[in-house]
Amino acid sequence: MTFQNSLEFAQELDTKDPLRKYRDEFHFPKVDGKQVIYFTGNSLGLQPKRTQKFVDDVMTDWKELAVEGHFYSKKPWWDYHEMLAEPLARVVGAKINEVSVMNTLTINLHLLMVSFYRPSGKRYKIICEEKAFPSDQYMFQSQVKFHGYDPSDAIVEVTKRDGEHHWRTEDILKKIEEVGEELALVLIGGVNYYSGQVFDMAAITKAGKAAGAFVGWDLAHAVGNIELKLHDWDADFAAWCSYKYMNSGPGNASGVFINERHLNRKDIPRFEGWWGTKKETRFLMKPEFEPMENADAWQISNPAILSIAPYLASLEMFEEVGMDALIMKRNQIVKYLEFVLEEIDKEVEGTFEIITPKDRGCQLSVFLHGHGRPLFDYLMKNGVITDWREPNVIRLAPAPFYCSYEDMYHFGQILKKGILENAQ
Ligand SMILES: *Cc1c(COP(=O)(O)O)cnc(C)c1O
């Protein structure tokens, strides 16, 4: 399809968009009384309108039933989290028994490292990407130190080549081979938060396992964004948050994947609590730990129901729409955004550069040559919600659930005006 950078063309794409009715299913913030152009669904997704009811239902049950709500509310709290496993398994390409919802992301990665980072003898190193998300870096450092190793020796970062903005799969595979028998764990962000690069998770997982290591994925920027096949790729474990592309609210519950192969095994250690025990005998309050036979064995506390209620609302929408339709619109709207950026770039003469490689999901990261914070501030003041990463990169994620093609067109016009005004 030949794109045009015009309002009429953008509106025509919107008319043909099978997901267009979902735009009205979300609350948009306003700037100067006007609905914003929202590019930060990769950071905090918008609130679906239906979420309020899911939360209100819990509040009402608590008000009217109090403790009885654990068993007698319409959606009883004692196994509320189980309702999320099936729809979530579809989003991440897993079997239902491999998925659970609990805690928050970094906490879950720590808990999964208890099970899958068990350095011993020669095998103690972790491979990750350079400049991983800060929380992941702190996690690696603290885990390695906890086990008595030196982070500068035990953490092996795969670097990008000089002058390149992305990692090459061949470099990652080579590093895995090099570290070889010293490799205990490969743990990488499936979609890089800074550039939006999508890693070749199938190839990396295969290589890591061939080297005798465990392979896990931080899917914060991947879940609800790209196609995932955790089971088929045979990853050992993964975790993700629910508040980015999954629109489940600030700081909300995290999901985990634990490969079926690791369930019901006594040789895999785990930090345990009462919600990981068999439901049938949980309330007998026995001293022995009898694990659930699915990923719920990793549950520890009774779940934060008010925090998973928005996740259930969001998953209902993912069930209605399906990842295939989301990915189809995502591809098209990102392509259109890229086209609009290229058109504007011609008009303002090479001010910016898209640093996101072609292996990408919803996000384009744009390097603004010679422009700094003033341009970013201009965008925000004019109703374009984007985010800024040092030194001068803006990240643009047109989430397919609620962004429109018309948004992309208007954004281009605002950007052009901002560049011209700021250059003076
Ligand atoms: C967003 C994000 C996190 C956030 O971790 P929390 O524990 O939810 O605060 C972690 N890792 C990556 C890669 C992220 O993008």
Side-chain angles (χ1 to χ4, degrees):
M1 183 188 306
T2 340
F3 288 140
Q4 293 167 30
N5 186 23
S6 73
L7 180 59
E8 299 68 39
F9 185 81
Q11 285 172 338
E12 198 186 314
L13 289 179
D14 281 325
T15 316
K16 290 183 191 145
D17 172 12
L19 299 191
R20 76 184 169 281
K21 82 174 172 84
Y22 279 92
R23 186 172 167 85
D24 283 336
E25 291 248 6
F26 288 87
H27 292 291
F28 281 76
K30 290 190 171 140
V31 168
D32 292 336
K34 253 184 72 188
Q35 187 166 310
V36 299
I37 299 170
Y38 197 74
F39 278 122
T40 42
N42 56 349
S43 183
L44 180 68
L46 292 179
Q47 181 184 133
K49 290 178 181 167
R50 70 179 75 176
T51 300
Q52 186 77 51
K53 166 134 192 3
F54 282 69
V55 175
D56 286 349
D57 284 350
V58 178
M59 294 300 281
T60 305
D61 288 339
W62 176 25
K63 183 165 78 184
E64 294 175 356
L65 299 171
V67 73
E68 296 280 78
H70 281 107
F71 298 102
Y72 300 112
S73 32
K74 233 188 263 146
K75 299 184 180 115
W77 306 327
W78 83 301
D79 56 4
Y80 193 103
H81 58 288
E82 291 181 3
M83 289 185 285
L84 287 82
E86 185 173 346
L88 199 46
R90 265 190 280 278
V91 172
V92 298
K95 294 192 173 179
I96 299 167
N97 60 340
E98 294 173 317
V99 169
S100 189
V101 168
M102 57 201 199
N103 312 311
T104 48
L105 173 54
T106 311
I107 303 263
N108 280 339
L109 286 171
H110 270 300
L111 292 172
L112 290 164
M113 283 181 80
V114 166
S115 299
F116 300 108
Y117 177 57
R118 307 198 312 269
S120 78
K122 272 207 312 204
R123 210 179 264 287
Y124 64 94
K125 292 191 176 172
I126 300 174
I127 284 186
C128 61
E129 75 275 39
E130 71 169 330
K131 297 199 178 129
F133 191 84
S135 196
D136 297 33
Q137 294 187 45
Y138 309 144
M139 172 183 72
F140 292 138
Q141 291 162 17
S142 59
Q143 282 274 344
V144 159
K145 284 191 275 189
F146 174 77
H147 286 286
Y149 296 92
D150 172 4
S152 67
D153 172 42
I155 302 172
V156 180
E157 296 185 346
V158 184
T159 53
K160 288 172 271 195
R161 297 190 189 183
D162 278 349
E164 293 189 353
H165 293 298
H166 66 286
W167 286 266
R168 295 196 189 196
T169 305
E170 69 214 74
D171 292 351
I172 301 171
L173 301 184
K174 196 164 140 240
K175 186 62 84 184
I176 289 173
E177 213 183 305
E178 260 171 44
V179 179
E181 290 186 352
E182 292 181 344
L183 186 60
L185 174 68
V186 178
L187 179 47
I188 295 178
V191 175
N192 181 255
Y193 80 98
Y194 187 86
S195 68
Q197 175 177 1
V198 176
F199 287 92
D200 186 340
M201 289 185 252
I204 295 168
T205 302
K206 191 161 166 230
K209 292 179 56 219
F214 286 115
V215 181
W217 293 98
D218 177 342
L219 300 177
H221 277 259
V223 69
N225 174 16
I226 64 167
E227 183 181 37
L228 294 168
K229 294 182 175 173
L230 291 174
H231 181 83
D232 289 349
W233 295 335
D234 207 22
D236 290 295
F237 69 94
W240 53 89
C241 51
S242 60
Y243 48 82
K244 292 175 179 170
Y245 293 103
M246 297 222 59
N247 313 317
S248 302
N252 250 340
S254 158
V256 299
F257 162 87
I258 296 146
N259 195 300
E260 192 171 55
R261 154 164 67 78
H262 301 307
L263 303 176
N264 298 309
R265 279 177 50 175
K266 294 218 159 53
D267 58 331
I268 294 188
R270 178 173 55 210
F271 284 172
E272 295 171 340
W274 70 325
W275 238 253
T277 62
K278 289 216 165 110
K279 284 202 294 190
E280 301 74 37
T281 50
R282 185 173 301 153
F283 294 98
L284 299 180
M285 304 297 203
K286 295 188 302 186
E288 311 86 52
F289 184 86
E290 278 189 85
M292 297 282 291
E293 287 174 357
N294 54 20
D296 286 341
W298 272 259
Q299 294 268 344
I300 296 180
S301 296
N302 77 99
I305 303 300
L306 282 168
S307 143
I308 54 181
Y311 205 175
L312 189 60
S314 161
L315 282 166
E316 187 181 89
M317 297 174 76
F318 275 84
E319 284 284 271
E320 283 168 21
V321 171
M323 282 308 297
D324 290 349
L326 279 167
I327 288 169
M328 231 150 62
K329 171 156 179 205
R330 179 205 75 192
N331 286 342
Q332 172 103 327
I333 198 166
V334 172
K335 247 192 233 158
Y336 189 59
L337 172 61
E338 181 178 44
F339 168 80
V340 167
L341 282 166
E342 283 164 0
E343 289 300 296
I344 301 298
D345 196 43
K346 284 181 210 156
E347 294 178 38
V348 296
E349 288 172 11
T351 321
F352 45 83
E353 178 189 353
I354 296 171
I355 61 170
T356 304
K358 291 292 171 197
D359 299 327
R360 67 193 184 191
C362 191
Q363 176 181 329
L364 292 181
S365 298
V366 183
F367 201 92
L368 299 164
H369 291 289
H371 284 275
R373 292 283 311 196
L375 178 58
F376 169 75
D377 294 339
Y378 177 91
L379 292 174
M380 295 292 279
K381 253 204 321 256
N382 286 277
V384 178
I385 310 297
T386 169
D387 76 3
W388 176 263
R389 287 289 179 271
E390 294 296 333
N392 49 354
V393 165
I394 54 171
R395 301 187 306 166
L396 305 168
F401 245 129
Y402 46 75
C403 288
S404 69
Y405 295 91
E406 189 174 334
D407 283 344
M408 303 304 109
Y409 170 76
H410 289 307
F411 162 68
Q413 297 304 305
I414 296 168
L415 179 67
K416 181 167 82 180
K417 206 156 161 247
I419 288 173
L420 295 175
E421 281 182 22
N422 275 291
Q424 282 158 12

